[in-house]
Amino acid sequence: MRAIISPYFAASGPLKMLHQGSFVEHYDVLQRGQEICSGLVDAGCSIETAALLNYQNSSCRELILSIHDAKYVDYLQNAWANWSKMQNSSAEILPNISPNRHITRFNEHPVALAGWYIGDAAAPIGEHTWRNALGSVSAVIEAASALKNGELAAYALCRPSGHHACQDMAMGMCFLNNAAIAAQLLRQQFHRVAILDIDMHHGNGAQQIFYQRDDVLTVSIHGDPSNFYPFYSGFKEETGVEQGEGFNINLPLPAETQEVAYLEALNAAGNEILDFGAGAAIVATGFDTFKEDPLGCFRLESTSYYEIGRMIRSLQLPTLFVQEGGYFVPALRENMRQLILGLGSG
Ligand SMILES: [Zn+2]
């Protein structure tokens, strides 16, 4: 299997994030990128670096703007430059106000815009955020193009990841929704596309983006949001609206979930994707379901990823893997290797 890597996959990560009320070193450390790559190489994959797309190129811009709000994308491009003009501004933008309720007017002050466009304090915007996010999109577009051209599987090494990014909002380390952009591209080739999110956290971004559509099925297996991030979405009863009714499936699982129960949910997800008649699948792939992950609450073993790979392979669909989370650095290499071996496509 070809793996397409963002030119900035192993760049320095963001600096800080809020975690349970405390500022901590950001979990998206650069060693993640290195370990994930090593796992792919161990499993026999070749890694090619994507050429950075030019956002001024109309086909690239049109594709991104078919998923994301134009003003939001403008914000991502210019936010840091505007922020850094403020006296005593911080090195990264974090929202210190949340304008979700009771606001009476929009305000374009850099602090107000940060609150408007950044949904939580895990998605700081720094000098290179736009460049890095565009690098992730470059990788996913190149990998999706391989599927369009008839390859059966490809892996997009995206960092920053994308599955929490909504149409007009950054959140949870995510800025542009790589998997959603890929789905839009694959729809040019396949009548129906499914996104299967196996990251620890609910794929709220793809849910929001495709909630009214019946041509992209969104299925997410994740920690029960009653007591787990992102708290406000990921519940079973969120099934889509209007034309999209029935085309969003959430499979929340309790804390401490182990392999057997997880694979049961994955099997159910796979059946939904087959019933839907998907022509291609996009797997938003996180390794934060691992038992030692500092941001997870499941108890999967390294060998669980082999079983996950086998199950995904059994769907027999052209499949694009898109890198999302996974923060226990010492196990990332082996977990990736197990997944690819399970897929049988090293
Ligand atoms: Zn996650």
Side-chain angles (χ1 to χ4, degrees):
M1 177 169 57
R2 279 169 69 197
I4 313 293
I5 190 170
S6 158
Y8 306 112
F9 189 74
S12 297
L15 301 172
K16 298 274 184 197
M17 61 182 267
L18 263 180
H19 182 53
Q20 298 185 344
S22 297
F23 274 106
V24 297
E25 297 297 315
H26 204 287
Y27 280 94
D28 186 13
V29 295
L30 68 93
Q31 289 85 355
R32 288 184 65 235
Q34 294 160 356
E35 293 299 308
I36 285 169
C37 283
S38 299
L40 273 166
V41 172
D42 289 352
C45 292
S46 61
I47 299 183
E48 300 159 34
T49 304
L52 184 67
L53 290 170
N54 177 1
Y55 183 67
Q56 298 318 319
N57 176 304
S58 61
S59 62
C60 165
R61 196 170 60 242
E62 275 167 28
L63 186 59
I64 291 175
L65 294 184
S66 71
I67 292 297
H68 290 287
D69 175 74
K71 285 188 177 161
Y72 168 62
V73 176
D74 275 354
Y75 175 72
L76 287 180
Q77 289 179 84
N78 301 310
W80 190 83
N82 291 333
W83 180 270
S84 59
K85 285 178 200 151
M86 289 193 304
Q87 239 184 357
N88 302 321
S89 59
S90 56
E92 289 181 329
I93 308 172
L94 275 173
N96 56 261
I97 185 161
S98 304
N100 296 316
R101 291 176 292 153
H102 311 311
I103 62 160
T104 56
R105 59 181 284 181
F106 190 71
N107 183 338
E108 297 200 347
H109 188 279
V111 174
L113 288 178
W116 188 260
Y117 285 121
I118 307 177
D120 64 25
I125 292 178
E127 184 176 3
H128 298 302
T129 298
W130 167 252
R131 180 199 76 175
N132 295 348
L134 193 61
S136 285
V137 171
S138 305
V140 90
I141 287 180
E142 202 165 317
S145 300
L147 252 67
K148 272 184 80 183
N149 294 332
E151 289 189 34
L152 288 178
Y155 203 114
L157 288 159
C158 299
R159 182 170 166 264
S161 48
H163 74 142
H164 294 306
C166 298
Q167 185 225 2
D168 58 355
M169 191 172 75
M171 187 174 156
M173 315 186 187
C174 301
F175 304 93
L176 296 173
N177 198 311
N178 308 309
I181 290 167
Q184 198 77 338
L185 186 62
L186 288 178
R187 275 284 292 104
Q188 296 171 6
Q189 176 89 2
F190 303 97
H191 186 54
R192 294 184 146 197
V193 173
I195 297 178
L196 168 62
D197 192 313
I198 59 168
D199 185 273
M200 178 70 234
H201 305 91
H202 175 229
N204 62 295
Q207 170 170 311
Q208 186 264 327
I209 288 164
F210 295 112
Y211 210 54
Q212 292 161 302
R213 284 173 54 171
D214 61 1
D215 59 330
V216 177
L217 177 74
T218 44
V219 186
S220 180
I221 306 169
H222 49 262
D224 183 350
S226 308
N227 49 25
F228 196 70
Y229 184 92
F231 297 101
Y232 294 110
S233 68
F235 298 94
K236 258 193 171 147
E237 60 268 27
E238 297 157 16
T239 54
V241 291
E242 297 166 17
Q243 221 172 325
E245 176 65 53
F247 296 95
N248 184 78
I249 296 165
N250 285 326
L251 300 170
L253 296 171
E256 309 297 327
T257 289
Q258 298 183 14
E259 181 179 309
V260 171
Y262 189 88
L263 293 178
E264 236 169 70
L266 185 62
N267 191 41
N271 288 334
E272 295 283 1
I273 289 167
L274 294 176
D275 288 350
F276 170 66
I282 296 170
V283 182
T285 309
F287 296 107
D288 37 6
T289 44
F290 185 63
K291 60 185 177 181
E292 291 181 77
D293 196 281
L295 298 182
C297 68
F298 287 173
R299 293 287 169 261
L300 297 193
E301 307 285 337
S302 286
T303 47
S304 306
Y305 296 99
Y306 181 86
E307 299 302 329
I308 290 171
R310 272 172 51 112
M311 231 177 219
I312 290 169
R313 181 189 192 185
S314 75
L315 297 177
Q316 295 190 298
L317 288 172
T319 304
L320 169 64
F321 294 84
V322 182
Q323 188 62 50
E324 305 290 353
Y327 307 97
F328 184 68
V329 173
L332 284 174
R333 180 174 184 166
E334 177 62 7
N335 293 350
M336 173 64 93
R337 192 180 76 90
Q338 292 281 349
L339 177 74
I340 303 298
L341 292 180
L343 288 165
S345 51

mmCIF file of all heavy atoms in Angstrom, residues 163-164 199-201 288 325 327, ligand 1:
data_model
loop_
_atom_site.group_PDB
_atom_site.id
_atom_site.type_symbol
_atom_site.label_atom_id
_atom_site.label_comp_id
_atom_site.label_asym_id
_atom_site.label_seq_id
_atom_site.Cartn_x
_atom_site.Cartn_y
_atom_site.Cartn_z
ATOM 1 N N HIS A 163 -10.515 15.183 11.979
ATOM 2 C CA HIS A 163 -11.895 14.705 12.136
ATOM 3 C C HIS A 163 -12.754 15.523 13.102
ATOM 4 O O HIS A 163 -13.976 15.334 13.129
ATOM 5 C CB HIS A 163 -11.921 13.200 12.500
ATOM 6 C CG HIS A 163 -11.535 12.880 13.894
ATOM 7 N ND1 HIS A 163 -12.159 11.894 14.635
ATOM 8 C CD2 HIS A 163 -10.592 13.413 14.697
ATOM 9 C CE1 HIS A 163 -11.615 11.830 15.827
ATOM 10 N NE2 HIS A 163 -10.655 12.731 15.888
ATOM 11 N N HIS A 164 -12.142 16.409 13.875
ATOM 12 C CA HIS A 164 -12.966 17.301 14.708
ATOM 13 C C HIS A 164 -13.290 18.624 14.004
ATOM 14 O O HIS A 164 -14.080 19.420 14.530
ATOM 15 C CB HIS A 164 -12.258 17.618 16.030
ATOM 16 C CG HIS A 164 -12.096 16.424 16.924
ATOM 17 N ND1 HIS A 164 -13.160 15.630 17.305
ATOM 18 C CD2 HIS A 164 -10.994 15.881 17.504
ATOM 19 C CE1 HIS A 164 -12.707 14.647 18.084
ATOM 20 N NE2 HIS A 164 -11.414 14.775 18.210
ATOM 21 N N ASP A 199 -11.190 6.534 15.496
ATOM 22 C CA ASP A 199 -10.451 7.267 16.524
ATOM 23 C C ASP A 199 -11.214 7.133 17.852
ATOM 24 O O ASP A 199 -12.409 6.847 17.870
ATOM 25 C CB ASP A 199 -10.355 8.737 16.101
ATOM 26 C CG ASP A 199 -9.492 9.576 17.032
ATOM 27 O OD1 ASP A 199 -10.041 10.092 18.041
ATOM 28 O OD2 ASP A 199 -8.293 9.705 16.765
ATOM 29 N N MET A 200 -10.505 7.348 18.941
ATOM 30 C CA MET A 200 -11.101 7.259 20.283
ATOM 31 C C MET A 200 -12.250 8.262 20.473
ATOM 32 O O MET A 200 -13.196 8.025 21.227
ATOM 33 C CB MET A 200 -9.974 7.548 21.296
ATOM 34 C CG MET A 200 -10.347 7.552 22.747
ATOM 35 S SD MET A 200 -10.733 5.918 23.364
ATOM 36 C CE MET A 200 -12.334 6.191 24.064
ATOM 37 N N HIS A 201 -12.134 9.381 19.788
ATOM 38 C CA HIS A 201 -13.074 10.494 20.016
ATOM 39 C C HIS A 201 -14.075 10.602 18.868
ATOM 40 O O HIS A 201 -13.721 10.349 17.705
ATOM 41 C CB HIS A 201 -12.296 11.803 20.155
ATOM 42 C CG HIS A 201 -11.239 11.753 21.221
ATOM 43 N ND1 HIS A 201 -9.938 11.364 20.951
ATOM 44 C CD2 HIS A 201 -11.302 11.996 22.552
ATOM 45 C CE1 HIS A 201 -9.234 11.396 22.078
ATOM 46 N NE2 HIS A 201 -10.036 11.766 23.063
ATOM 47 N N ASP A 288 -5.618 6.224 19.517
ATOM 48 C CA ASP A 288 -5.822 6.630 20.913
ATOM 49 C C ASP A 288 -6.813 5.725 21.641
ATOM 50 O O ASP A 288 -7.145 5.964 22.802
ATOM 51 C CB ASP A 288 -6.215 8.114 21.037
ATOM 52 C CG ASP A 288 -7.130 8.599 19.944
ATOM 53 O OD1 ASP A 288 -7.576 7.779 19.124
ATOM 54 O OD2 ASP A 288 -7.412 9.818 19.911
ATOM 55 N N GLY A 325 -5.863 10.612 15.515
ATOM 56 C CA GLY A 325 -5.121 10.699 16.773
ATOM 57 C C GLY A 325 -4.282 9.484 17.121
ATOM 58 O O GLY A 325 -4.069 8.574 16.313
ATOM 59 N N TYR A 327 -1.728 9.029 20.930
ATOM 60 C CA TYR A 327 -0.814 9.907 21.678
ATOM 61 C C TYR A 327 0.120 9.168 22.620
ATOM 62 O O TYR A 327 0.921 9.810 23.289
ATOM 63 C CB TYR A 327 -1.641 10.980 22.420
ATOM 64 C CG TYR A 327 -2.552 11.692 21.457
ATOM 65 C CD1 TYR A 327 -3.891 11.313 21.320
ATOM 66 C CD2 TYR A 327 -2.049 12.661 20.605
ATOM 67 C CE1 TYR A 327 -4.702 11.898 20.373
ATOM 68 C CE2 TYR A 327 -2.851 13.254 19.653
ATOM 69 C CZ TYR A 327 -4.188 12.872 19.545
ATOM 70 O OH TYR A 327 -4.971 13.446 18.592
HETATM 71 ZN ZN ZN B 1 -8.811 11.114 19.178
#
